Amino acid sequence: MDKNDNLHNADGNQPEMDNVHMEAQDSLENAMVEESTTPKQMLEGQETTDSDGSNDEPIKEGSNKVEEMVEDASTTHEDAIVEEKDTVENSADPIVEVDEDDNEPQDDSVKEIPEKDYNAMEMPALIAELRELMQEYPINSFRTQADDIKKAFETADADAKKEAQAKFTEENPPVEDEPAPVFEYKNELATQFYELHSLYRKQKGQFQRDKRKQQEDNLEKRRQIIEGIKQLINQEENIGTTFKKFHNYQDEWKATGNIPHDAYNITWEDYRLATQNFYDYIDLSKELRDKDFERNLVFRKKIIARAVELGAEENIHKALRELQELHRMWKEDAGPVAKEERDPIWDEFSAATKIIHDKRQAYYEERDKMSAQNQLVKENIVAEIQKITHQGAKNHKEWQDRLEEINVLRELFTKTGPAPKAVNNELWNQFRNGTREFNKAKNDFYKGLKKEQQDNLDAKMKLIAIAEEHQDNENFAEGLQIMKRVQAEWKQIGHVPRKDSDKIWKRFQKACNGFFDKKSAQKKEDSKEELENFDAKMKVYDALKEMIPQDDKKAMLADVEQHMSQWAAIGRVPYNKRMIQEKFEKLLHAKLKAAGLSAVDAEMLKYQNKLASLENGDANDFKNERFYLKKRRDEIQDEVRQLDNNLQFINAKDDKNPFLVQTKKNIAELSKELDVIKEKQKQLNILQRQIVKQEEEAAAAAEAEAAEKANENEASEENE
C-alpha cells in the first residue's frame, strides 16, 4: 500500500497510534495494575452484560481467573467475534475475487502486465516476450502468460515443421533403387526457447520452494502465538499485564505473513478458539471492553477509509488486489466492535466495496466492447485474406503485390488486441489457415514456373555460348551486330532459377564486356589513324579551294577529278569531324560548274566520289545511303503530287500568274532532282552488286584453294 494511505498503522503494529488513544490505553492498563495490587478492592465496571449491574465477586490476588461468570450473548467478546465473522462471511460479495488468471497476487509497485495475443506472434517475438517477462516482472506473476507463450510457440513450431517436411518431400521425390532421404528438422529458435523456458521453470521452482519454507516458518510462528494465548489463562498475574500480553500476541499474529493454504482454515479456527477461550476466562470490565471495541472500531474505519480511496484508483487491477487484502484484514485482523456499530460500519465498507466492484464491472464491460471490436476487425482481415487468395495473380509482380498486401494484413492482425475468449482461438485458426491457403496458391504458381524458368535458363545458356564465341571476333562490325542481338534477346527472356541467376548473368556480362573492351581498344587505335586521315583530307580540301578557274575547261575538269581521286583514297575521319565531307562536296560542286559541267553532270560526278568512299566502307554505310536516297525520293514525289494538286485550282490560261509560274518552276526542278536520285540509286545498286560478286568470287577462290590444298595433302599421304 502507499505510504500516505489511511492504513499505514492498520497492520496490527500500533507504535504510531494517535496520542489520544495511546493515553487512554496506557491509563486504562495502569488502572488495571493498581486494581490488581489491592486485594480487597472491588473491580468497578467489570460488567459482562449491557443490562445487568456489575459483578460483585472480587478477583483473587495474583490471579486472572474468575470465580463466576455471567454470560450474555449480546455483549461478550467471543460472541462479538463469532457474530462479526458470520456477518462478513454471510454478506454478498464479502471478498472481491480478482481476475488475475490464477497468477500469484502482485505487489502494487509491480507494473501491470499488458494483455497480448500471443497466438498472432512469430517465434522470435515469443522468445523476446518470455525474456522480457522474466526480466521485468517477478517470477511468480506471469504464470498464465508463460503458459500461453509456450502453447503459442509449440503451435508455431509444429506449423514450421510441417512446412519444412512438405518442402523436403517436394524437393526429394522418391527414386527407384535408391534409399529415401531422411527428413531432419532442426529449429534453432526452438532450442533457444526451450532453454529459456527451462530457466523460467527452474527459477519459478526455487521461488515456490522458498515461498513454501517461509509459509511453514510463518505457520510455526502462528502455532506458537496460539499456544501463547492458551497459556495466558494459566498464568498467575494481574489482569492488566495479561491483557497487554494478549494484545501483543494479536499484533504478532497480524504481523506474521502467509501460511500454507492447506493449513489456513484449521490454524484460523485454532486461533479463534484460543481467543474465545481467553475471553471466556477473563471477564473484562465494561470500560475495558468498550475501549477494546473502540480500538477495533478505529482500525475498521481505517480499512473503510482506504477502501474509499481505492474507489478513485485508476488501475482497477491494483484496486481489486488491495481491496481483497482489506477484506482479509476485516475478517482476520480486526476485532469486534460494539453491537450498535457493527451493521453501520459493515454497510459503509460494503458501499465502498460496491463502488470498486461497479468500476470492475464497467472495466470488463468496456473490455468486452473492445474485444467485440477486435473480433470484427479480425473477421474482416480473415475475409480479406480469403478474397486475395481467391483472386490469385497472373505473374511474378502481381504475386509480389499480393504478398505485400498479405504482410500488411498480417501485421494489422498481430497488432489488433484479443477478441473474446470464446472465438479468439477460432479466429487465429482461421487466420492461420487463410495465410496457409495463400502461401499454397503462391507456391503452386511458382512450381508451375519452374519448367518455364528451366527453359529460360537453356535459352540464356545458348546466348552465353554465342557471346563467348564472338568475344574475340576481330570483325568488330559483325561482332557488334551479334552482341547487340544477343543482348536484346537476353532482355526478352524471362526469369531463370534464382540459384543460377547471378552466375549466368556474370558469365554473359564477362563475354560481352570482353568484346566491347577489345572494340574500344581498337577504336582508340583507329582514332589515331582517323586523325591522320582528317589532316590528309584537309590538305586536299585546301588545294581544291585554292584552284583558280581556267580557260581550258577540260584541263580544269581533269585537275578537279584528280583531287576527287585523292579524296576518295583517304579513309575515315573522326566522327566529330565528319562535316568536312559536306564542305568538300559543296566546294567540289562549285568547281565542277566552273569546269563547264551542268548541275546534273556535276552532281553525278561528285557522287562517283561518294561511291568510291562507300566501296571502302562497311555494310552500314550502304544501308544508310540507300535509306537516305529512298527517303529523299519519296519526299520529292510527295512534293510534286502536292504541287500538281495545287495547279488544279489555278487558271492554266493565265501564263502571267506569278504563282502559276513559280509552281511550274518548282515542279521542273524537283523532277530534275528526282532523275538524279534515281540515277544515284542505280549507280549504288550496280556498285553493291559488283562488291557482292567480288566477295563471292573471292570466297569461291578461297574454297578452290582450300580444296586444292586438301587434294595435295591426300596425294602426299598416299605417296607416303
mmCIF file of all heavy atoms in Angstrom, residues 523 530 573-579:
data_model
loop_
_atom_site.group_PDB
_atom_site.id
_atom_site.type_symbol
_atom_site.label_atom_id
_atom_site.label_comp_id
_atom_site.label_asym_id
_atom_site.label_seq_id
_atom_site.Cartn_x
_atom_site.Cartn_y
_atom_site.Cartn_z
ATOM 1 N N LYS A 523 39.187 0.934 -81.278
ATOM 2 C CA LYS A 523 38.678 2.249 -81.671
ATOM 3 C C LYS A 523 39.678 3.337 -81.332
ATOM 4 O O LYS A 523 39.824 4.321 -82.067
ATOM 5 C CB LYS A 523 37.342 2.514 -80.979
ATOM 6 C CG LYS A 523 36.662 3.787 -81.457
ATOM 7 C CD LYS A 523 35.287 3.935 -80.829
ATOM 8 C CE LYS A 523 34.600 5.184 -81.355
ATOM 9 N NZ LYS A 523 33.262 5.367 -80.760
ATOM 10 N N GLU A 530 42.359 7.913 -87.976
ATOM 11 C CA GLU A 530 41.327 8.809 -88.489
ATOM 12 C C GLU A 530 41.770 10.266 -88.411
ATOM 13 O O GLU A 530 41.432 11.083 -89.278
ATOM 14 C CB GLU A 530 40.028 8.598 -87.720
ATOM 15 C CG GLU A 530 39.339 7.273 -88.053
ATOM 16 C CD GLU A 530 38.128 7.011 -87.172
ATOM 17 O OE1 GLU A 530 37.905 7.819 -86.236
ATOM 18 O OE2 GLU A 530 37.416 6.012 -87.407
ATOM 19 N N VAL A 573 37.381 9.640 -91.222
ATOM 20 C CA VAL A 573 37.821 10.703 -90.320
ATOM 21 C C VAL A 573 37.052 10.548 -89.009
ATOM 22 O O VAL A 573 36.037 9.847 -88.962
ATOM 23 C CB VAL A 573 37.564 12.093 -90.947
ATOM 24 C CG1 VAL A 573 38.357 12.247 -92.240
ATOM 25 C CG2 VAL A 573 36.072 12.317 -91.173
ATOM 26 N N PRO A 574 37.501 11.174 -87.892
ATOM 27 C CA PRO A 574 36.755 11.082 -86.623
ATOM 28 C C PRO A 574 35.307 11.538 -86.783
ATOM 29 O O PRO A 574 35.000 12.421 -87.592
ATOM 30 C CB PRO A 574 37.545 12.009 -85.687
ATOM 31 C CG PRO A 574 38.932 12.005 -86.247
ATOM 32 C CD PRO A 574 38.761 11.922 -87.732
ATOM 33 N N TYR A 575 34.450 10.965 -85.979
ATOM 34 C CA TYR A 575 33.012 11.235 -86.104
ATOM 35 C C TYR A 575 32.710 12.712 -85.876
ATOM 36 O O TYR A 575 31.852 13.286 -86.554
ATOM 37 C CB TYR A 575 32.255 10.374 -85.096
ATOM 38 C CG TYR A 575 30.755 10.549 -85.149
ATOM 39 C CD1 TYR A 575 30.013 9.943 -86.146
ATOM 40 C CD2 TYR A 575 30.099 11.345 -84.213
ATOM 41 C CE1 TYR A 575 28.639 10.116 -86.208
ATOM 42 C CE2 TYR A 575 28.731 11.525 -84.264
ATOM 43 C CZ TYR A 575 27.996 10.901 -85.264
ATOM 44 O OH TYR A 575 26.641 11.069 -85.324
ATOM 45 N N ASN A 576 33.406 13.330 -84.941
ATOM 46 C CA ASN A 576 33.115 14.729 -84.626
ATOM 47 C C ASN A 576 33.650 15.694 -85.693
ATOM 48 O O ASN A 576 33.441 16.901 -85.601
ATOM 49 C CB ASN A 576 33.683 15.086 -83.251
ATOM 50 C CG ASN A 576 35.180 14.882 -83.165
ATOM 51 O OD1 ASN A 576 35.782 14.283 -84.060
ATOM 52 N ND2 ASN A 576 35.786 15.367 -82.097
ATOM 53 N N LYS A 577 34.367 15.146 -86.711
ATOM 54 C CA LYS A 577 34.893 15.986 -87.788
ATOM 55 C C LYS A 577 34.303 15.579 -89.144
ATOM 56 O O LYS A 577 34.851 15.901 -90.207
ATOM 57 C CB LYS A 577 36.422 15.894 -87.839
ATOM 58 C CG LYS A 577 37.085 16.377 -86.550
ATOM 59 C CD LYS A 577 38.584 16.328 -86.644
ATOM 60 C CE LYS A 577 39.238 16.772 -85.349
ATOM 61 N NZ LYS A 577 38.926 18.169 -84.988
ATOM 62 N N ARG A 578 33.189 14.866 -89.120
ATOM 63 C CA ARG A 578 32.597 14.339 -90.347
ATOM 64 C C ARG A 578 32.030 15.438 -91.241
ATOM 65 O O ARG A 578 31.746 15.198 -92.420
ATOM 66 C CB ARG A 578 31.488 13.342 -89.989
ATOM 67 C CG ARG A 578 30.297 13.961 -89.302
ATOM 68 C CD ARG A 578 29.320 12.900 -88.782
ATOM 69 N NE ARG A 578 28.122 13.474 -88.186
ATOM 70 C CZ ARG A 578 28.054 13.965 -86.967
ATOM 71 N NH1 ARG A 578 29.135 13.976 -86.195
ATOM 72 N NH2 ARG A 578 26.925 14.463 -86.512
ATOM 73 N N MET A 579 31.842 16.650 -90.713
ATOM 74 C CA MET A 579 31.274 17.726 -91.520
ATOM 75 C C MET A 579 32.213 18.161 -92.643
ATOM 76 O O MET A 579 31.793 18.862 -93.570
ATOM 77 C CB MET A 579 30.954 18.934 -90.617
ATOM 78 C CG MET A 579 29.912 18.632 -89.561
ATOM 79 S SD MET A 579 28.364 18.030 -90.277
ATOM 80 C CE MET A 579 27.849 19.463 -91.201
#
